[in-house]
Amino acid sequence: MRWMTERRAAGFDAMTDLPSGVRAALEERFTIGLPEVEARTPSEDGAEKFLFRLADGAKVEAVYIPAPRHRASGSSERVTVCVSSQAGCAVNCAFCVTGRLGAGRNLTAGEILGQYLVVAREKGFGPREANVVFMGMGEPLLNLAQVSRTLDLLEAEVSPRRTTVSTAGVVPGIRELARRDHRPNLAVSLTAAGNALRTKLMPINAQWPVEELFAALEEWPLEPGRRITFEVVLIAGVNDSPAEARALARLVKRVPSKVNLIPLNESAEWLPGLSRPSRESVDAFGSHLASSGVDVTVRWSKGLGAAAACGQLKGRETPGRLLRVPPPSVRS
Ligand code: SF4
């Protein structure tokens, strides 16, 4: 593994400290390869989206995000790599383009780690220089065996403190991840506080409703100084009211946490009928949370983000050949 991850060996032949018989046996049974880059989409803010074609033709995305330019003094600068864990996603969140693509397949640990390794090679950064977030295509905790293996392999390059797994709320997966010795950070896509609205926006809530989710989160072992991140995609007229902000504040304060507000990345083609709230409305929502004592950040995506939310690049590249899953009805 050291030959592949640290020394970036391209073949078993290069592993000269292994007996030749072992190298031959490895050659017979395994291949070393990285996902093929099919397209790269840079944006003016320095981020870059990589579209990968895997050995069976499945396509997944990873995103490179440069280190923030202005940091408090003393903090170290790191780039962020966002990787996919599945090709497609069966969870079908109303605000997500990947959800429209339907269930794909689980990626192997090699395919997940490979995304990081290619981005590191292409962007020229080394071990300990990146954060890795599992926030690309797919629900990581529905592919936990391979995600867990990836976390083990990543430890040679990226500290678990610099790794974040984001889930739509797969409660058994959260409980299993909590049992790891070296836990990553946990992010939860929450988006609404009440079961009725959350189930409309994220159908997975019918299986693991808010109470069950928070029972698992309250048991998540947090080291001092660490917090759970909640992601809230804000949709105009759906979940951006002051009453929703107050309900959300009450809920998230049950655990040490911070909230990222993500104004919806609109897509007339993929997310018809859903629009991004105005800046005033997003600011007001954030102020309601902050005045209730919640640590809140608004993540306006510009450039790349505005043109290519989760899954949009894949959608654009392969028109007409994809399964189109109808979105859940949000406004009924
Ligand atoms: S937001 Fe995540 S879990 Fe929901 S459909 Fe998209 S990829 Fe799947």
Side-chain angles (χ1 to χ4, degrees):
M1 289 312 302
R2 263 206 315 277
W3 271 108
M4 287 191 288
T5 57
E6 288 171 26
R7 302 184 204 171
R8 308 283 198 258
F12 297 108
D13 271 359
M15 303 179 183
T16 45
D17 56 357
L18 295 182
S20 60
V22 172
R23 277 185 268 155
L26 287 169
E27 190 74 54
E28 237 175 71
R29 295 179 54 195
F30 301 104
T31 54
I32 297 181
L34 289 171
E36 184 189 320
V37 179
E38 184 160 302
R40 292 173 63 162
T41 312
S43 82
E44 72 263 15
D45 60 7
E48 185 161 356
K49 184 169 276 209
F50 288 73
L51 177 70
F52 292 107
R53 184 187 173 84
L54 304 177
D56 66 348
K59 293 179 185 181
V60 296
E61 298 166 340
V63 181
Y64 165 84
I65 301 151
R69 286 199 192 117
H70 306 292
R71 290 261 197 178
S73 60
S75 67
S76 52
E77 299 223 344
R78 280 181 173 82
V79 303
T80 298
V81 182
C82 172
V83 296
S84 294
S85 54
Q86 297 179 306
C89 186
V91 175
N92 199 19
C93 299
F95 47 83
C96 173
V97 172
T98 302
R100 300 290 84 71
L101 305 180
R105 67 164 174 87
N106 285 338
L107 302 191
T108 65
E111 289 168 333
I112 303 171
L113 185 69
Q115 298 167 53
Y116 162 82
L117 292 173
V118 171
V119 173
R121 181 191 69 197
E122 295 296 314
K123 302 305 290 186
F125 59 85
R128 310 282 147 196
E129 290 181 323
N131 300 306
V132 174
V133 296
F134 290 72
M135 287 185 191
M137 297 168 66
E139 163 53 60
L141 299 188
L142 293 180
N143 184 17
L144 188 50
Q146 294 301 314
V147 165
S148 223
R149 179 84 180 113
T150 311
L151 292 171
D152 293 339
L153 295 170
L154 256 180
E155 275 186 36
E157 300 247 338
V158 181
S159 148
R161 292 186 74 91
R162 296 283 174 186
T163 307
T164 300
V165 170
S166 176
T167 177
V170 178
V171 168
I174 293 172
R175 292 191 185 283
E176 197 177 329
L177 201 59
R179 288 194 283 273
R180 280 182 65 87
D181 286 339
H182 300 156
R183 279 178 303 284
N185 297 302
L186 183 67
V188 177
S189 185
L190 189 58
T191 299
N195 281 319
L197 180 56
R198 190 164 190 268
T199 300
K200 279 186 188 174
L201 292 167
M202 305 181 70
I204 198 169
N205 190 72
Q207 197 169 355
W208 294 293
V210 170
E211 306 76 51
E212 267 188 57
L213 173 61
F214 271 76
L217 296 181
E218 282 169 345
E219 287 170 23
W220 176 265
L222 275 174
E223 286 89 29
R226 293 180 90 179
R227 296 182 288 176
I228 293 172
T229 302
F230 291 107
E231 316 274 351
V232 176
V233 175
L234 279 180
I235 306 166
V238 174
N239 66 341
D240 61 343
S241 68
E244 183 60 30
R246 283 191 290 273
L248 210 56
R250 276 195 300 278
L251 187 61
V252 301
K253 283 163 69 179
R254 286 171 55 177
V255 291
S257 60
K258 57 184 172 172
V259 171
N260 286 338
L261 294 181
I262 306 162
L264 177 78
N265 282 312
E266 293 176 349
S267 168
E269 182 190 359
W270 294 91
L271 307 173
L274 300 186
S275 53
R276 167 183 278 214
S278 66
R279 186 168 284 271
E280 294 70 37
S281 163
V282 172
D283 287 347
F285 195 95
S287 300
H288 279 297
L289 287 179
S291 64
S292 305
V294 175
D295 186 356
V296 57
T297 306
V298 180
R299 303 233 179 265
W300 289 101
S301 48
K302 45 188 176 173
L304 174 71
C310 177
Q312 283 185 348
L313 179 60
K314 185 184 176 199
R316 282 207 310 271
E317 294 283 324
T318 51
R321 282 190 285 125
L322 293 164
L323 180 67
R324 293 282 291 258
V325 176
S329 173
V330 169
R331 293 180 193 274
S332 59

